[in-house]
Amino acid sequence: MRVLVIDTALEACTAAVFDGDTALAVRSEVMVRGHSERLGGFVRDVVADAGGGFGAIDRIGVTVGPGSFTGLRVGLAFAQGLGAALGRPVVGLSTLAALAWSADAGRGRTATVIDARRGQVYLQRFEDGRAVSPPEALSTEDASVALGGTDGPWRLIGSGAPLVGGQDGGENAPSPAALAVLAGHLDPVAHPPYPLYLRAPDATPPTRLPGQARPAVASAG
């Protein structure tokens, strides 16, 4: 199966084409912003380099979070639009699962910990590639407690690992190979391309429209 994978959820912009376990073309650049400007060119290039054109793509995989709200929207909108245009299924990929697979290839006991800012992390634990806890947004203190219980040591992966007593493993975005494995194995019906938000966005909508008068404040007495 030939899959196109797209990741704009965390600290990279990635597009890659794989045929089974074989990487046919990969473009990946570390970035925090600017995904929307780079993604289209990356996808064009990897499809051209892989050969066969867009018609040779059997499935599209895209990261659904948790991660940057802006980055997620960029990747999801692109993947869904391309999938609709090509008539190909689009499968949603958890960044937590993809980071774990990047570290252990589905072996052992791994906890993915992503720095969510504001004293929080996104956390999920995996054993031999299978999730054994739900994805959660926790304070760093609660996450440290969850990881230090009687279940034994966990391999910590992700940008939040140093915040809960782990070391910086350098894995701040999923590897293209891990994304391709998940995209090829997951059922698109069971894993649709919908964003996985574990907390409300930092930005809040305005309380009034531009040009709208401020509400009157009743005076006391």
Side-chain angles (χ1 to χ4, degrees), residues 17 36 48 55 59 61 71 77 93 98 124 131 135 149 157 170 175 185 192 207-208:
V17 176
S36 60
R59 179 179 293 188
L93 312 175
Q124 191 170 21
I157 188 69
S175 71
H185 285 83
T207 56
R208 61 190 178 91

Side-chain angles (χ1 to χ4, degrees), residues 24 39 48 56 58 62-63 69 99 111 119-120 138 148 150 164 185 188 208:
L24 301 180
L39 180 59
D58 298 307
V62 60
T63 46
F69 285 87
L99 275 169
Q120 289 186 311
L138 300 174
T150 58
V164 295
H185 285 83
R208 61 190 178 91

Side-chain angles (χ1 to χ4, degrees), residues 92-194:
L93 312 175
S94 160
T95 52
L96 293 161
L99 275 169
W101 195 273
S102 299
D104 62 23
R107 297 185 294 270
R109 312 179 77 213
T110 301
T112 303
V113 191
I114 298 173
D115 185 0
R117 314 297 181 190
R118 298 189 299 176
Q120 289 186 311
V121 295
Y122 301 128
L123 171 67
Q124 191 170 21
R125 286 162 286 179
F126 300 85
E127 291 187 9
D128 297 329
R130 179 177 59 86
V132 294
S133 70
E136 299 176 283
L138 300 174
S139 69
T140 54
E141 293 81 4
D142 288 344
S144 297
V145 171
L147 293 168
T150 58
D151 288 342
W154 297 87
R155 177 195 289 111
L156 302 183
I157 188 69
S159 60
L163 303 177
V164 295
Q167 297 181 344
D168 184 358
E171 295 283 357
N172 292 337
S175 71
L179 296 170
V181 168
L182 295 177
H185 285 83
L186 296 179
D187 180 1
V189 175
H191 299 272
Y194 299 151

